[in-house]
Amino acid sequence: MWTFINGDWVEAAKASVHVSDLAIQRGYGVFDFFRTVNHKPLFIDDHLARLKQSASILRLSLPYTLDALKQIILELINRNQLATSGIRITVTGGYAADTYSISTPNIIITQAPLTMDDVFDEKKSIRLITEEYVRELPTVKSINYLMGVYLQQKVKDAGADDVLYVKDSCISELPRSNVFVVTHNNELLTADTNVLHGITRKHILQLASSFLKVKEQPVHIEDVLQAKEVFVSSTTKRLLQVHSVNGNSIANGKPGNVTQQLYQLFLQLEQNNTLQ
Amino acid sequence: MWTFINGDWVEAAKASVHVSDLAIQRGYGVFDFFRTVNHKPLFIDDHLARLKQSASILRLSLPYTLDALKQIILELINRNQLATSGIRITVTGGYAADTYSISTPNIIITQAPLTMDDVFDEKKSIRLITEEYVRELPTVKSINYLMGVYLQQKVKDAGADDVLYVKDSCISELPRSNVFVVTHNNELLTADTNVLHGITRKHILQLASSFLKVKEQPVHIEDVLQAKEVFVSSTTKRLLQVHSVNGNSIANGKPGNVTQQLYQLFLQLEQNNTLQ
């Protein structure tokens, strides 16, 4: 397996950075992550645009144009020959002589195999707990997951699968997923602030707008608890139903028809975008 | 220069970690930092105890006992022969196969030269701006300095030197320093919550208690603006006067006698602790 680091192709096992990198010193860097389907990168332009925006907000100079990055990614895919995979582009704060100031970023692009089920499993759903928290600089896909990783034990102790961030009774996101509410009036609600603008989220909103009233607005925790359906979205999950929040089951745990419909539409879109 | 990584002594320039480390993937790790004075580590037991506590809260298993770490540090000092230096111990989340879960930590100990002036300069003081923010898990010396590094530009644009974190009108700390207020009643105030418990802070509180009323309590931003003196403390700064906050000068910018007295006491303590 090949990894790309700062212009060099190296064996994945040998891909390392010096300890003076600002990611290791100060947790400072951004990344993006997307899948390949059928050897094709999925929604790559969306992901590269978001990477550029994340880097810009953190004042990291991307060492390549997005076109050049795309060519590197296509070469990575060609070298590694993984049909179904995850590709991660990490851009760090670089080697800081003073251990604190932004320097010339290091860029690392890795690819790893991924297993995806391409069918909606209506029996699959997740249990959430809530935590009072908003990610720092939430529109930036930074590498700061201190709270997400830290909270894993609390999630486990509660017998749950993941954590939903809440602030002043409004929900925002999960550490690695966006979250949506389907109301009994067939409205689709999702938070507009304090969230990362997920690429899967973006496409779901577009797909849903043809048959649901879509509202990007503050979403109250009560909206979640009273919902007809709740689901989360991410690159690796596509859409996944939420069974319960803090032990309160959503709609008595019934399978979500809207979630299933959107999953099918998303899968179709994904396939259309990655035809040979 | 030598660096210690996971049991190996390597040339500092070759000290690297694989990109799958949770520090690079998720900004997850802890560290501690102390000085050597006269080839002796300063307050090393305090720093190692805090490292252990930070690691414990983040569920990182320290790969060595504190006694073993101390021996490694003494060997590092002996190998590198730097009289005045900074030593950093970093403990990361380790190599995570799933890029998200805590694994066997990597431990890295680096040493670098440091320039210290051993005199109090009453003309030296810093200008602060404030920012509404509390560090995540503030009692942990984690590597998460996303906001601190991010805010550097805002500090620069304001013509200031550093940023003071404030939450609900109470101050907590600077990204890398604690902060103290001397009142006109000769009380020494410093925040008790939402702060890292600095080792310099600890010794200042002990030294001050012999001649000031010391209060660890919530400190209001108004206490800062009305103060007789305000100073910050850190391993590399010892004590350093604050000239102004958001452009409001403290006590008309007069030199701080209490700050100077505490600086002298601290310097004496430091020298007593690092005699040959």
Side-chain angles (χ1 to χ4, degrees), chain B residues 48 51 62 64-73 107 109:
Chain B
L48 289 177
L51 179 72
L62 274 191
Y64 297 94
T65 65
L66 298 195
D67 276 348
L69 275 179
K70 204 166 172 176
Q71 290 310 311
I72 292 164
I73 288 160
I107 182 165
I109 311 179

Side-chain angles (χ1 to χ4, degrees), chain A residues 24-26 99, chain B residues 29-33 47 50-51 54-55 60 87-92 108 140-145 176 196:
Chain A
I24 299 165
Q25 298 283 320
R26 306 291 173 177
T99 80
Chain B
V30 297
F31 75 108
D32 224 288
F33 178 82
H47 287 280
R50 186 173 64 179
L51 179 72
S54 294
L60 301 175
I87 292 180
R88 178 177 159 132
I89 313 173
T90 307
V91 180
T92 72
I108 304 130
V140 176
K141 198 166 173 70
S142 80
I143 62 168
N144 174 28
Y145 285 72
R176 298 182 289 174
L196 184 76

Side-chain angles (χ1 to χ4, degrees), chain B residues 8-9 11 18 25 49 73 76 79 90 105 109 121 128 131 133 151 161 167 178 195 230 234 242 247 256 258:
Chain B
D8 296 323
W9 294 99
E11 271 293 330
H18 191 261
Q25 297 283 318
I73 288 160
L76 183 73
R79 280 174 174 252
T90 307
I109 311 179
D121 180 353
L128 304 182
E131 178 79 15
Y133 175 66
L151 289 169
D161 302 293
K167 175 81 174 176
N178 289 118
V195 298
V230 177
S234 78
V242 173
V258 173

